[in-house]
Amino acid sequence: MDDGLPTARLVRRLLLVVAAMFAFGFALVPLYEVMCQAFGINGKTAGAYTGEQQMDAARTVRVQFLASNAAGMNWEFRPLQDELVVHPGASHQMLFVAHNPSDRPMTGQAVPSVAPARAAAWFHKTECFCFTQQVLQPGERIEMPVRFIVDRDLPADVRHLTLGYTLFDITGRQGPQAQAVR
Amino acid sequence: MSAVIEPGHAGHDEHPHGPAPGLMRWVLTTNHKDIGSLYLWFSFTAFLLGGSMAMVIRAELFQPGLQIVQPEFFNQMTTMHGLIMVFGAVMPAFVGLANWMIPLMIGAPDMALPRMNNFSFWLLPAAFGLLVSTLFMAGGGPNFGWTFYAPLSTTYAPESVTFFIFAVHLMGISSIMGAINVIATVLNLRAPGMTLMKMPLFVWTWLITAFLLIAVMPVLAGVVTMMLMDIHFGTSFFSAAGGGDPVLFQHVFWFFGHPEVYIMILPAFGAVSSIIPTFSRKPLFGYTSMVYATGAIAFLSFIVWAHHMFTVGIPLTGELFFMYATMLIAVPTGVKVFNWVSTMWRGSLTFEAPMLFAVAFVILFTIGGFSGLMLAIAPADFQYHDTYFVVAHFHYVLVPGAIFGIFASAYYWLPKWTGHLYDETLARWHFWLSFVGMNLAFFPMHFVGLAGMPRRIPDYNLQFADFNMVSSLGAFLFGATQLLFLYIVIKCIRGGEAAPAKPWDGADGLEWSVPSPAPYHTFSTPPEVK
Ligand code: HEM
Ligand SMILES: [Cu+2]
């Protein structure tokens, strides 16, 4: 019968497995992030881009802009233009309008996503209002810029991109947020 | 015998004696049989409680329109029904059976860690007391489904969600301790000569289940901890506004969730693999392949989780991978069904209650497996997902699967537990009424599901009315029948024809070598296994 480990040792090992699996649950969070980035799975774009590129004047790509509010958000939020036709490699800017119609100061956070999702890896933002939170006083209205470059290596079959933002009301949320937002 | 079990038993071994008198026996007991009984009674109580919630659900769905409860309360009922049945009824029932039977089957005097055993049981009433109490709190109990997807369970959750999280932590700790106990017992306390490949399949399937438990219960604990942090400490694991992702919740949950469904079925596989040979009067066909098939199922269960998420927008290669991996599970499962049928083939079959439940298990579980295969076809799942077809699928694998497996085990071992033969006539009534009720309740759900009736909705389109009425009638029949089971068990405890040590002539195994009822202490000196 005593062909295994003594019970106390066995239990200690099993508890180690338990601890490791608890840690694994949390490790799934960065792992998920990495997988999504690596495979451009869910349209997540990377953080601020610092590279420079040569313009490819021979090719054009349509970039469409979308703005929508998450549940519970009451700001007016829209791009100044619905779309731009751009050359890969060139830097472009689009302005988004945000207006707080309420009678209290509010904080908003925009979360970007790119469709088709597999193109997200080739869509670079050099500057974006989504990198920070926006605090708007009652009735205040601002224009917020996003500067971007469509990568020259964007797969040839992608001729049309959509950059969408969802605006969340994060007034009153405490603690660390937004740093993680890309 | 290991040093760890000695403290609780110091001085007991020389003179065998019975349990301590009075109520404190149950509070303080470290005896595997007492704890097994506690688990089984707890489980049955949870079964009746979760069952009453199902009755509320089916009463509301008896007709289209809102008649009996408000949608908010309906959501709490579906959520609590699922949570209580999964974590309160099915899992504790199998832990109870493990406590009672594993030491008897491998010739051990007790579980390896008797005091931890006591603790892991008594955590359960605390966990479920907490969970059920949320129903009476302002804002109501959990209403986000047993799968508690974020952000429903975080941003939009009722205040009581914190109690829910704590309850899940407690039951997780309880399951993990139970699993560690099973592993330590099976690996360290087997009688001389009881090699691994001589163990009854119930012990094998439980050993593998225990490994699944210690692998995935901590992940469940992790996911509810992340929810807790999102709700109270301002993190954003699942909140897109803060850079998190609600879809991440589903990945972590189902990484736990799919192995969890096998946690609920593998011990039943094991029990049925003991019962079918007994009533076929033939040894189990393909013992070794059964062991390997169980291992294969357990392994595969870790790489199929996203079949619950075909519609969230995973990439095409992901859909294909999870589709094929899921279908692969049908292979070892098919091996098992084949072996059960081959065991019955040309056997001298008799159909006492345990066998009736076991045969129904094989047939109806297979139907559930087939609907699972249909759901595993990713493009088809876009149509079936979140409809009653899914409800039909998992009730076919869980009711005539897990729960019939538990009933079969209960009838099979009741004579050993109580020392009396149960009332066979009533038990057959219990079987047939359950069989008819359960099929009436769940079979029509396939049809309404394929026709597009969504799950977790208190009202529905008129076109589904007739099938839903049939479902409700079947559910009421099934529910009421379970009171008959309670009566049969109480009657069997209180009296009846005395059971011999081996009440089933075709039975095989160490548990039948001790008298009925099994004495309070058994195998204080290990038996010899040839
Ligand atoms: C051949 C084996 C099986 C296959 C191929 C299979 C496949 C599936 C698939 C694809 C789904 C997701 C359906 C959807 O949400 O659209 C599902 C759901 C489910 N299955 Fe299975 N399954 C199998 C066996 C089992 C077993 C043995 C159990 C439990 C004992 C089980 C319990 C469940 C549960 C509880 C759900 C629903 C979870 C929920 O959304 O609430 N399945 N199954
Ligand atoms: Cu699954």
Side-chain angles (χ1 to χ4, degrees):
Chain A
M1 53 180 186
D2 266 340
D3 53 357
L5 292 168
T7 303
R9 268 228 328 268
L10 178 65
V11 170
R12 245 175 288 134
R13 288 199 183 175
L14 293 175
L15 284 174
L16 264 175
V17 176
V18 170
M21 288 310 293
F22 187 72
F24 175 76
F26 283 83
L28 284 175
V29 179
L31 212 65
Y32 175 72
E33 200 82 1
V34 169
M35 298 286 267
C36 288
Q37 295 277 321
F39 300 109
I41 290 177
N42 62 358
K44 277 198 178 177
T45 50
Y49 179 75
T50 48
E52 289 205 19
Q53 298 202 353
Q54 286 284 310
M55 182 169 91
D56 177 356
R59 186 175 167 203
T60 56
V61 176
R62 260 174 77 203
V63 180
Q64 260 185 332
F65 303 96
L66 278 181
S68 54
N69 281 340
M73 184 52 152
N74 57 358
W75 289 8
E76 182 201 347
F77 175 49
R78 59 181 172 79
L80 275 188
Q81 263 171 270
D82 286 340
E83 67 172 59
L84 286 180
V85 177
V86 306
H87 294 297
S91 176
H92 293 269
Q93 171 166 302
M94 174 52 58
L95 289 174
F96 281 69
V97 178
H99 167 64
N100 174 3
S102 73
D103 52 7
R104 61 194 177 99
M106 288 176 68
T107 312
Q109 171 70 61
V111 174
S113 103
V114 169
R118 68 192 172 92
W122 288 279
F123 188 86
H124 309 303
K125 295 190 263 44
T126 50
E127 188 190 329
C128 181
F129 56 93
C130 59
F131 294 155
T132 54
Q133 305 174 1
Q134 310 296 325
V135 182
L136 262 65
Q137 298 308 313
E140 187 180 351
R141 171 192 197 89
I142 54 168
E143 291 188 354
M144 313 177 293
V146 50
R147 285 202 76 80
F148 61 90
I149 301 174
V150 176
D151 200 296
R152 291 175 58 102
D153 296 334
L154 180 75
D157 60 322
V158 182
R159 298 196 193 86
H160 179 185
L161 281 174
T162 307
L163 171 64
Y165 286 101
T166 308
L167 190 66
F168 289 84
D169 175 11
I170 57 168
T171 316
R173 278 186 56 125
Q174 70 314 22
Q177 56 224 333
Q179 306 92 310
V181 174
R182 311 261 154 76
Chain B
M1 197 190 313
S2 137
V4 179
I5 75 159
E6 253 131 38
H9 276 226
H12 289 191
D13 287 352
E14 308 85 72
H15 50 98
H17 65 108
L23 201 64
M24 288 316 271
R25 161 185 176 186
W26 299 104
V27 179
L28 299 177
T29 184
T30 56
N31 178 287
H32 73 102
K33 300 183 184 83
D34 281 354
I35 295 178
S37 305
L38 284 173
Y39 265 110
L40 288 169
W41 279 112
F42 178 86
S43 149
F44 192 70
T45 313
F47 182 57
L48 291 186
L49 180 63
S52 340
M53 293 172 176
M55 297 300 107
V56 175
I57 296 170
R58 283 317 321 176
E60 179 55 55
L61 294 176
F62 190 73
Q63 287 182 345
L66 292 180
Q67 284 93 19
I68 297 174
V69 294
Q70 291 305 306
E72 297 75 30
F73 188 68
F74 184 89
N75 290 346
Q76 294 173 38
M77 287 293 104
T78 52
T79 305
M80 289 294 244
H81 164 71
L83 290 169
I84 290 177
M85 286 305 196
V86 168
F87 295 104
V90 174
M91 289 171 70
F94 284 127
V95 182
L97 291 172
N99 262 291
W100 250 105
M101 300 318 299
I102 287 180
L104 287 180
M105 287 178 152
I106 61 173
D110 202 312
M111 297 295 278
L113 304 150
R115 294 198 211 178
M116 192 169 87
N117 209 4
N118 173 291
F119 186 46
S120 67
F121 171 75
W122 281 107
L123 277 179
L124 280 185
F128 281 86
L130 211 57
L131 184 64
V132 174
S133 73
T134 58
L135 282 177
F136 304 99
M137 293 179 184
N143 56 4
F144 30 67
W146 83 275
T147 50
F148 53 100
Y149 280 11
L152 274 183
S153 60
T154 52
T155 316
Y156 305 104
E159 293 282 327
S160 62
V161 65
T162 309
F163 290 90
F164 157 81
I165 291 174
F166 193 47
V168 173
H169 275 137
L170 288 184
M171 60 184 94
I173 295 172
S174 165
S175 301
I176 289 171
M177 292 198 302
I180 289 181
N181 213 345
V182 167
I183 296 176
T185 308
V186 174
L187 293 187
N188 282 1
L189 294 191
R190 297 194 311 280
M194 177 61 79
T195 58
L196 286 176
M197 290 313 273
K198 275 190 195 156
M199 296 194 310
L201 263 170
F202 180 72
V203 182
W204 255 117
T205 53
W206 236 114
L207 179 66
I208 292 171
T209 302
F211 276 108
L212 285 181
L213 277 167
I214 63 166
V216 301
M217 289 313 276
V219 177
L220 174 69
V223 75
V224 291
T225 307
M226 291 179 211
M227 281 168 57
L228 187 76
M229 289 161 72
D230 271 9
I231 294 169
H232 292 292
F233 306 120
T235 56
S236 298
F237 286 103
F238 308 130
S239 155
D245 192 336
V247 175
L248 170 67
F249 175 92
Q250 298 185 26
H251 281 290
V252 188
F253 178 83
W254 286 115
F255 185 85
F256 147 82
H258 188 81
E260 166 68 17
V261 306
Y262 283 97
I263 287 167
M264 292 191 281
I265 201 68
L266 291 185
F269 284 175
V272 165
S273 303
S274 289
I275 293 166
I276 289 180
T278 295
F279 296 95
S280 307
R281 292 162 185 81
K282 274 176 64 191
L284 181 69
F285 183 88
Y287 172 91
T288 317
S289 65
M290 283 300 218
V291 174
Y292 284 111
T294 313
I297 291 176
F299 169 76
L300 288 174
S301 74
F302 284 103
I303 54 164
V304 297
W305 76 89
H307 64 217
H308 297 273
M309 303 169 56
F310 282 141
T311 58
V312 302
I314 51 180
L316 184 65
T317 36
E319 306 255 333
L320 288 171
F321 172 81
F322 285 107
M323 172 167 117
Y324 289 127
T326 302
M327 292 180 169
L328 209 56
I329 295 200
V331 176
T333 311
V335 168
K336 291 193 158 272
V337 173
F338 180 85
N339 286 350
W340 291 320
V341 174
S342 304
T343 306
M344 288 187 267
W345 180 252
R346 299 210 166 150
S348 358
L349 305 189
T350 52
F351 294 96
E352 286 86 350
M355 184 63 163
L356 286 174
F357 277 106
V359 173
F361 170 97
V362 175
I363 297 167
L364 299 177
F365 174 80
T366 305
I367 293 181
F370 280 134
S371 57
L373 275 176
M374 288 172 67
L375 291 166
I377 304 168
D381 187 63
F382 277 70
Q383 167 76 13
Y384 308 151
H385 180 63
D386 268 350
T387 67
Y388 258 85
F389 192 77
V390 178
V391 179
H393 158 63
F394 66 73
H395 281 90
Y396 261 85
V397 281
L398 284 169
V399 178
I403 291 177
F404 276 20
I406 294 165
F407 285 146
S409 312
Y411 285 121
Y412 188 52
W413 286 308
L414 259 178
K416 182 58 60 192
W417 299 338
T418 64
H420 303 124
L421 299 180
Y422 61 82
D423 187 327
E424 186 63 50
T425 316
L426 287 184
R428 287 184 190 185
W429 272 100
H430 174 223
F431 169 76
W432 284 110
L433 291 175
S434 294
F435 181 86
V436 172
M438 172 258 130
N439 280 297
L440 275 181
F442 300 122
F443 210 80
M445 291 182 185
H446 291 109
F447 305 135
V448 292
L450 291 179
M453 176 168 162
R455 63 189 284 205
R456 293 172 171 160
I457 303 277
D459 185 8
Y460 50 84
N461 193 304
L462 283 179
Q463 75 191 47
F464 306 125
D466 294 345
F467 278 137
N468 270 284
M469 193 176 283
V470 174
S471 274
S472 289
L473 290 172
F476 298 149
L477 176 64
F478 183 82
T481 304
Q482 304 323 313
L483 298 174
L484 178 61
F485 178 62
L486 179 65
Y487 174 76
I488 296 170
V489 171
I490 291 178
K491 187 171 171 208
C492 179
I493 292 173
R494 299 179 60 146
E497 200 184 320
K502 189 167 121 178
W504 314 115
D505 56 359
D508 189 24
L510 283 181
E511 75 261 39
W512 308 112
S513 68
V514 302
S516 298
Y520 200 55
H521 293 292
T522 38
F523 298 131
S524 299
T525 41
E528 204 57 54
V529 181
K530 284 134 277 156

